[in-house]
Amino acid sequence: MAEVEAVQLKEEGNRHFQLQDYKAATKSYSQALKLTKDKALLATLYRNRAACGLKTESYVQAASDASRAIDINSSDIKALYRRCQALEHLGKLDQAFKDVQRCATLEPRNQNFQETLRRLNTNIQEKLRVQFSTDLRVQKMFEILLDENSEADKREKAANNLIVLGREEAGAEKIFQNNGVALLLQLLDTKKPELVLAAVRTLSGMCSGHRARATVILHAVRIDRICSLMAVENEEMSLAVCNLLQAIIDSLSGEDKREHRGKEEALVLDTKKDLKQITSHLLDMLVSKKVSGQGRDQALNLLNKNVPRKDLAIHDNSRTIYVVDNGLRKILKVVGQVPDLPSCLPLTDNTRMLASILINKLYDDLRCDPERDHFRKICEEYITGKFDPQDMDKNLNAIQTVSGILQGPFDLGNQLLGLKGVMEMMVALCGSERETDQLVAVEALIHASTKLSRATFIITNGVSLLKQIYKTTKNEKIKIRTLVGLCKLGSAGGTDYGLRQFAEGSTEKLAKQCRKWLCNTSIDTRTRRWAVEGLAYLTLDADVKDDFVQDIPALQAMFELAKASTSDKTILYSVATTLVNCTNSYDVKEVIPELVQLAKFSKQHVPEEHPKDKKDFIDMRVKRLLKAGVISALACMVKADSAILTDQTKELLARQKIFKERALPDIENYMFENHDQLRQAATECMCNMVLHKEVQERFLADGNDRLKLVVLLCGEDDDKVQNAAAGALAMLTAAHKKLCFKMTQVTTQWLEILQRLCLHDQLSVQHRGLVIAYNLLAADAELAKKLVESELLEILTVVGKQEPDEKKAEVVQTARECLIKCMDYGFIKPVS
């Protein structure tokens, strides 16, 4: 009765439609839809209601009804054309084009379809031309970014597009010509981190390789504002502004290596004043308390990169002379900072080291003795000016400054150690009761003992103090540093057996303590790093390295520390140095017998080889290292320290990058593309992406057709598209049981498509189809029963009975696993 009534309602709806009463017709068709389950009638009703939607301009409803009719019959030409019309009115021209293209394929002689094809093609080309017009793109991006009501996703996409456009010469020029600098300044004024970051990165791209633009941008934004942005605590922001300044400096100084032509080549700009102003502001940043540690580091990085000459053959070192005269005292102030003092500037762990490197580069860039003497005098005046019997903090700053210079130009530092009162102050600080004083003094002694002559002086004057501090202090930081100081002094003779600085057995005791610290996992990583550094010094002694390689727990503790600290280059360097020493992998000077005899005759010291540094001992140490697992540690260290990543790491990073950049919607759109290669590439990309957890969650979400699209692509005629889609479906159904059920609901063609996959001529596609079948069987007994009752069981039986050769082994094995799963459920029984 219900079916009969449904037919009557359909006829009633048709009569209303002919009378142009589309509202009444829609009502009749809707009532009929509730009464029937006949697929043919359902398709007709949806198709007719879509026609009503077109007449009443309810285009969303029309497109939806037409899609439902197409789901029942994919070749329903009327439904396809009506959806095309609805989509065209909704502005979805590319989707409308695909529908009418399908219609034209089914009825090539239909002039209406051909005319619609031509019209849509013309409209799409015009839309693309307007959409991709650079001027309009720039204008649209700024509108979105400056509109506070814009959606977050749109703003982020506009910001990224603006950055990319700024990196292209044509795009950068378009932004510049369309009042872009003023608009970018408005973005900076918003003070919203994501917008400021986008503006900075866009400006950076615009400055690259264009001197005139860089000059205008520098003056428009102002160097003081650029430096204040770099001074913030945000590391990402500070780095981005540093890159902007570097781009400006490269363009102004001609370091960008680009060939300028036309107007840009004809411009003659005197950039020296601007470059000097940038340098001056960077030097001011070094001593400002308003600058974050990150900002100070970036200022030092810029000075390190841009002030000293890159080629000493160039005569002009005026930039270095300017910095020495106007900024050396500021750099020395950074080097002399003591983190534990209240007056300390904001620093990072790298700040003082970067300042030491800058001092070293500046000193090396000086051309003559008068310039070096001037440099030394500034340092001497700064250090001696800090000595104050009434203010211990100033004395600390002075010794810390000497310590920092010793990590830079050591010869200069060595001269400063000879200043009256410096060594005495270091020894006095060692005896202080204040832990901060001891810490600074111990580190200074460590750096001062690099030269053998200086180490001998310290052994004479300071070792007893170091030992006393080591025994009495309860501060772990001081204790471990004191130990490293003793280790360094103990190894001052290097590999020379005849120049042992300590009594027999002392270095072995120090090494034993280092190994003990190393094995103590309750100590923090930073402190254990000092234990490895101590061993890096002490393993120059053959007795120490021989003992160390026999201590398997200590070796493995060091390897695990290296694996867990791949981002800390100081730990990796200390571990690598220790391994080099243990295996005698360092360079050894060739011993010339005649020179040895000559040295003996003139009563000069001749280096002696330790008995345990002979080949047999070295081979034994290498074998013990191999047994302890040195290979895996070295592999981790190489990967961490190399730009060459493993393929798996690259793939993981690529997936994360694609997801982070919100490129998934674009990939999904290309999967609808009529262009065969684009559709194939997008499907293959999605096949790789479904391993990503967030991508799987998108497929699990309700209210989307993502899974349906993948299932339908498995039914395509293109083998490559099928292969990729089947791979994606296999991984999705393996990851989530919910997707196994969802697959059976998204389209009525799912079973037919699955059977086609399992019978495919191409083995890789067939294998993936069988994996999908297994996943469905394993997901649920009721679902498995539905599959067994279909023709799929016969397919599995035929494939599973084949003799597995080398090529078909995976296919046959998977089919057999499917049959075993059916047996487990009791749906089939084995035949003897």
Side-chain angles (χ1 to χ4, degrees):
M1 288 295 290
E3 293 293 338
V4 173
E5 190 177 348
V7 173
Q8 290 173 349
L9 283 167
K10 184 198 82 168
E11 297 300 333
E12 181 184 291
N14 291 349
R15 287 193 293 275
H16 287 308
F17 189 90
Q18 288 168 3
L19 295 170
Q20 297 183 3
D21 188 353
Y22 304 119
K23 191 174 181 180
T26 300
K27 185 177 179 181
S28 297
Y29 294 141
S30 299
Q31 288 174 339
L33 282 167
K34 295 175 183 178
L35 298 173
T36 183
K37 292 184 179 179
D38 180 83
K39 288 185 178 180
L41 182 55
L42 282 170
T44 302
L45 290 167
Y46 280 124
R47 184 174 65 219
N48 290 355
R49 196 168 72 174
C52 294
L54 289 172
K55 294 295 184 180
T56 57
E57 299 183 1
S58 303
Y59 299 120
V60 174
Q61 185 62 48
S64 175
D65 284 339
S67 294
R68 292 187 178 186
I70 294 164
D71 282 344
I72 296 169
N73 180 6
S74 59
S75 299
D76 189 329
I77 200 163
K78 288 184 179 179
L80 281 165
Y81 189 63
R82 284 170 190 170
R83 186 169 71 175
C84 161
Q85 291 173 299
L87 291 170
E88 183 180 3
H89 283 290
L90 291 169
K92 299 179 180 181
L93 302 183
D94 52 342
Q95 295 179 39
F97 184 84
K98 289 175 184 176
D99 280 346
V100 76
Q101 193 175 44
R102 187 84 182 271
C103 293
T105 304
L106 293 169
E107 289 188 15
R109 296 182 181 180
N110 188 312
Q111 291 302 312
N112 193 22
F113 296 159
Q114 296 297 335
E115 178 55 38
T116 306
L117 260 179
R118 282 191 290 272
R119 186 183 72 252
L120 283 174
N121 186 48
T122 303
N123 292 345
I124 287 169
Q125 295 304 319
E126 178 60 21
K127 183 180 177 182
L128 289 172
R129 187 188 68 77
V130 173
Q131 185 180 343
F132 289 100
S133 163
T134 307
D135 290 351
L136 192 70
R137 284 167 69 197
V138 172
Q139 184 184 345
K140 189 69 177 174
M141 287 172 205
F142 279 116
E143 283 176 6
I144 293 169
L145 290 169
L146 293 169
D147 182 3
E148 292 187 359
N149 297 319
S150 294
E151 295 174 12
D153 286 353
K154 285 186 177 180
R155 292 181 92 168
E156 186 176 346
K157 190 173 183 179
N160 290 334
N161 288 341
L162 196 63
I163 294 165
V164 171
L165 200 62
R167 289 173 183 164
E168 302 167 1
E169 175 55 34
E173 191 58 29
K174 286 291 183 184
I175 296 172
F176 191 77
Q177 296 295 343
N178 283 276
N179 198 33
V181 176
L183 292 168
L184 287 166
L185 287 173
Q186 287 184 44
L187 288 183
L188 293 178
D189 290 337
T190 64
K191 295 184 179 179
K192 293 181 178 178
E194 69 278 7
L195 296 183
V196 174
L197 201 57
V200 167
R201 287 172 173 165
T202 305
L203 288 167
S204 182
M206 292 171 67
C207 290
S208 297
H210 202 291
R211 189 175 298 174
R213 269 203 309 264
T215 304
V216 171
I217 287 169
L218 176 63
H219 290 180
V221 184
R222 301 192 324 275
I223 182 60
D224 57 324
R225 186 175 189 181
I226 295 173
C227 288
S228 67
L229 285 170
M230 193 165 74
V232 299
E233 193 66 47
N234 186 319
E235 184 178 1
E236 190 177 18
M237 179 72 72
S238 188
L239 181 59
V241 179
C242 176
N243 290 335
L244 167 60
L245 263 179
Q246 186 61 58
I248 293 172
I249 292 168
D250 285 346
S251 294
L252 296 185
S253 61
E255 292 289 337
D256 51 77
K257 310 288 185 191
R258 298 196 191 184
E259 186 178 345
H260 302 298
R261 295 178 180 174
K263 293 179 182 178
E264 174 68 3
E265 187 183 36
L267 285 169
V268 179
L269 297 169
D270 183 8
T271 60
K272 289 182 181 177
K273 186 178 178 182
D274 287 331
L275 287 168
K276 188 174 285 188
Q277 189 184 31
I278 291 170
T279 304
S280 177
H281 274 80
L282 290 174
L283 290 170
D284 289 342
M285 284 184 71
L286 299 184
V287 291
S288 172
K289 279 215 163 192
K290 294 179 180 178
V291 176
S292 69
Q294 294 292 344
R296 210 176 313 280
D297 284 1
Q298 299 305 344
L300 286 165
N301 282 329
L302 286 167
L303 291 167
N304 267 312
K305 186 172 182 181
N306 298 293
V307 173
R309 291 170 294 168
K310 293 177 176 63
D311 183 358
L312 294 179
I314 300 169
H315 186 73
D316 182 18
N317 70 338
S318 57
R319 283 182 292 187
T320 292
I321 298 299
Y322 175 80
V323 170
V324 170
D325 289 341
N326 297 278
L328 181 55
R329 289 173 182 81
K330 295 173 182 176
I331 302 167
L332 290 172
K333 183 174 180 177
V334 177
V335 164
Q337 293 298 297
V338 179
D340 293 336
L341 296 183
S343 60
C344 184
L345 296 168
L347 306 173
T348 71
D349 291 340
N350 299 318
T351 307
R352 289 187 61 248
M353 180 55 70
L354 288 170
S356 295
I357 292 169
L358 179 56
I359 291 172
N360 189 56
K361 285 189 171 185
L362 293 172
Y363 191 74
D364 286 347
D365 198 42
L366 300 174
R367 293 179 299 139
C368 57
D369 287 343
E371 289 179 357
R372 282 184 278 274
D373 288 341
H374 177 59
F375 192 102
R376 176 178 50 77
K377 283 177 183 175
I378 293 174
C379 294
E380 286 179 357
E381 288 170 7
Y382 182 85
I383 291 164
T384 53
K386 285 285 181 183
F387 284 137
D388 186 347
Q390 306 302 319
D391 191 339
M392 188 55 74
D393 286 357
K394 284 188 174 180
N395 294 328
L396 267 185
N397 289 135
I399 297 304
Q400 188 83 317
T401 303
V402 175
S403 182
I405 295 171
L406 283 164
Q407 295 174 74
F410 185 79
D411 289 339
L412 173 63
N414 217 19
Q415 291 178 52
L416 296 174
L417 283 173
L419 284 174
K420 184 180 179 181
V422 171
M423 290 299 297
E424 290 80 0
M425 180 58 70
M426 286 165 62
V427 173
L429 289 172
C430 283
S432 169
E433 292 182 1
R434 195 166 67 157
E435 290 184 339
T436 303
D437 298 349
Q438 293 178 3
L439 190 65
V440 170
V442 168
E443 286 196 1
L445 285 171
I446 291 171
H447 298 309
S449 59
T450 299
K451 280 270 177 103
L452 180 58
S453 58
R454 189 60 59 188
T456 305
F457 174 86
I458 294 169
I459 288 169
T460 307
N461 295 277
V463 167
S464 59
L465 280 170
L466 287 175
K467 288 181 178 177
Q468 183 64 26
I469 293 170
Y470 181 75
K471 289 176 183 176
T472 57
T473 185
K474 293 181 180 178
N475 187 317
E476 297 291 346
K477 291 181 179 179
I478 298 173
K479 198 175 188 73
I480 189 67
R481 282 167 175 77
T482 308
L483 179 66
V484 172
L486 291 168
C487 292
K488 191 171 183 180
L489 292 169
S491 63
T495 58
D496 188 347
Y497 183 50
L499 281 180
R500 289 193 166 198
Q501 298 296 316
F502 289 169
E504 188 79 30
S506 296
T507 50
E508 287 92 324
K509 287 180 181 177
L510 290 172
K512 188 175 180 181
Q513 183 60 46
C514 283
R515 300 203 306 270
K516 185 178 176 182
W517 282 75
L518 183 60
C519 292
N520 188 350
T521 53
S522 63
I523 301 172
D524 65 277
T525 302
R526 193 172 179 79
T527 306
R528 289 171 71 206
R529 185 199 78 189
W530 284 92
V532 183
E533 190 166 333
L535 287 168
Y537 292 122
L538 292 176
T539 47
L540 287 166
D541 185 311
D543 286 321
V544 171
K545 48 187 154 188
D546 215 50
D547 289 343
F548 183 42
V549 296
Q550 293 181 56
D551 189 343
I552 300 300
L555 281 177
Q556 291 177 341
M558 184 177 76
F559 296 158
E560 290 304 316
L561 187 63
K563 291 176 188 177
S565 311
T566 50
S567 60
D568 190 335
K569 299 293 176 67
T570 54
I571 291 181
L572 298 182
Y573 181 77
S574 297
V575 172
T577 303
T578 305
L579 292 172
V580 165
N581 293 342
C582 288
T583 56
N584 287 47
S585 301
Y586 41 72
D587 294 329
V588 179
K589 291 182 179 179
E590 184 183 354
V591 177
I592 302 171
E594 291 80 4
L595 289 177
V596 173
Q597 290 300 321
L598 186 63
K600 286 180 178 178
F601 179 75
S602 59
K603 296 184 180 179
Q604 295 293 317
H605 175 73
V606 178
E608 298 176 34
E609 184 185 43
H610 195 291
K612 291 183 179 178
D613 275 331
K614 296 188 183 298
K615 190 175 183 303
D616 290 348
F617 284 92
I618 296 170
D619 291 344
M620 185 62 71
R621 287 199 290 270
V622 170
K623 288 177 182 176
R624 283 175 174 159
L625 286 169
L626 290 169
K627 189 176 180 181
V630 71
I631 297 298
S632 61
L634 287 172
C636 288
M637 290 164 71
V638 168
K639 286 176 187 174
D641 207 37
S642 171
I644 304 169
L645 300 170
T646 62
D647 289 340
Q648 286 179 328
T649 309
K650 285 180 181 178
E651 190 175 323
L652 178 61
L653 289 172
R655 287 204 297 268
Q656 289 174 335
K657 179 71 173 174
I658 289 170
F659 191 81
K660 187 179 178 182
E661 295 292 336
R662 302 183 187 278
L664 271 179
D666 293 331
I667 295 170
E668 290 169 351
N669 286 338
Y670 283 126
M671 289 168 73
F672 283 101
E673 187 61 49
N674 195 51
H675 191 289
D676 291 341
Q677 289 176 321
L678 271 177
R679 188 170 74 256
Q680 176 198 325
T683 309
E684 287 173 348
C685 188
M686 184 57 73
C687 180
N688 293 327
M689 289 296 296
V690 294
L691 290 168
H692 204 285
K693 183 182 175 183
E694 284 83 354
V695 178
Q696 292 174 10
E697 287 173 356
R698 288 168 72 91
F699 278 90
L700 285 164
D702 295 327
N704 68 77
D705 290 332
R706 291 187 182 92
L707 190 65
K708 177 180 178 179
L709 175 61
V710 173
V711 174
L712 292 174
L713 287 173
C714 288
E716 286 275 320
D717 294 332
D718 187 320
D719 287 352
K720 290 181 178 177
V721 173
Q722 266 191 310
N723 195 46
L729 195 57
M731 286 184 278
L732 288 168
T733 51
H736 297 280
K737 286 185 179 181
K738 183 180 175 181
L739 291 176
C740 293
F741 294 106
K742 193 172 180 180
M743 175 185 163
T744 66
Q745 297 162 3
V746 292
T747 174
T748 56
Q749 302 170 48
W750 70 271
L751 188 54
E752 180 189 340
I753 290 170
L754 179 60
Q755 290 170 353
R756 283 178 59 195
L757 289 176
C758 293
L759 286 170
H760 206 281
D761 294 336
Q762 192 171 314
L763 291 175
S764 62
V765 178
Q766 185 182 22
H767 178 242
R768 294 174 182 206
L770 290 165
V771 170
I772 297 166
Y774 179 82
N775 294 338
L776 297 182
L777 288 165
D780 179 73
E782 286 300 316
L783 182 54
K785 187 177 181 182
K786 188 184 292 186
L787 290 171
V788 169
E789 290 172 350
S790 71
E791 293 177 4
L792 186 66
L793 179 60
E794 187 179 343
I795 295 169
L796 294 173
T797 306
V798 170
V799 177
K801 283 183 176 179
Q802 294 178 19
E803 286 298 322
D805 56 26
E806 189 176 341
K807 291 181 180 179
K808 292 184 177 180
E810 281 188 328
V811 169
V812 175
Q813 181 59 33
T814 308
R816 289 177 179 177
E817 287 173 4
C818 289
L819 292 168
I820 291 168
K821 180 58 69 175
C822 293
M823 287 166 54
D824 292 342
Y825 285 128
F827 298 149
I828 60 173
K829 293 181 180 180
V831 179
S832 58

